[in-house]
Amino acid sequence: STGVYSIDVANLEAGVTYYVRAFLRQGNRIVYGDITSFKLERAPIVLTNQVSNITGVDNGIGVYLDYSVQFNGTISDKGDPAYYERGFVYGTQSYVTVSTGTKIIVSGTGEGKFSATTILGYFGIYYIRAYARTTNGYVYGDEIKLSF
């Protein structure tokens, strides 16, 4: 018959290049189409680690209204293709993203630990997530909740 046809394929692995081409049988003869390839992306693995080095910021009269806080994260797999930006996003709403919170970019790429220090206000609840930015968007680590 004529027309468009397709087949669903399961259990393909991310990061592997696959080659495919269509064919049809005309009697005893097989006719092949052009070869095409595709590769499934493998997302980076991003971990948000516990905050550390929480220290009060003296306002000059011995009152601590702000705190210096170190955010910590780990990239345990850089993905394929590899991510090109990493950092943290934080805000006062749960499930914070780069579009709803404040973004801190941390230099570097590759696997391993990374951190950034920022100042947070004393009265509040904050939600923090590590992230990696890929060609397909952002991948986030789990959320950490911090309250003062």
Side-chain angles (χ1 to χ4, degrees), residues 41-74:
E41 286 192 7
R42 186 178 78 246
I45 298 174
V46 182
L47 306 170
T48 308
N49 303 329
Q50 290 296 320
V51 299
S52 61
N53 299 327
I54 301 172
T55 56
V57 178
D58 190 340
N59 69 352
I61 58 172
V63 178
Y64 300 101
L65 297 178
D66 295 316
Y67 281 86
S68 174
V69 178
Q70 181 177 315
F71 298 157
N72 300 296
T74 303

Side-chain angles (χ1 to χ4, degrees), residues 22-125:
F23 72 93
L24 65 92
R25 184 181 305 265
Q26 292 179 322
N28 291 334
R29 191 177 95 148
I30 298 176
V31 179
Y32 293 96
D34 294 334
I35 296 174
T36 188
S37 65
F38 64 94
K39 184 176 184 178
L40 300 176
E41 286 192 7
R42 186 178 78 246
I45 298 174
V46 182
L47 306 170
T48 308
N49 303 329
Q50 290 296 320
V51 299
S52 61
N53 299 327
I54 301 172
T55 56
V57 178
D58 190 340
N59 69 352
I61 58 172
V63 178
Y64 300 101
L65 297 178
D66 295 316
Y67 281 86
S68 174
V69 178
Q70 181 177 315
F71 298 157
N72 300 296
T74 303
I75 304 286
S76 63
D77 183 333
K78 61 185 175 182
D80 187 11
Y83 75 93
Y84 62 90
E85 178 184 294
R86 68 182 180 182
F88 300 94
V89 61
Y90 68 95
T92 57
Q93 297 177 1
S94 187
Y95 301 106
V96 63
T97 66
V98 295
S99 61
T100 63
T102 301
K103 178 174 150 178
I104 300 173
I105 298 172
V106 177
S107 65
T109 56
E111 297 171 356
K113 295 181 179 185
F114 62 102
S115 63
T117 300
T118 193
I119 304 294
L120 299 177
Y122 174 70
F123 298 104
I125 297 173

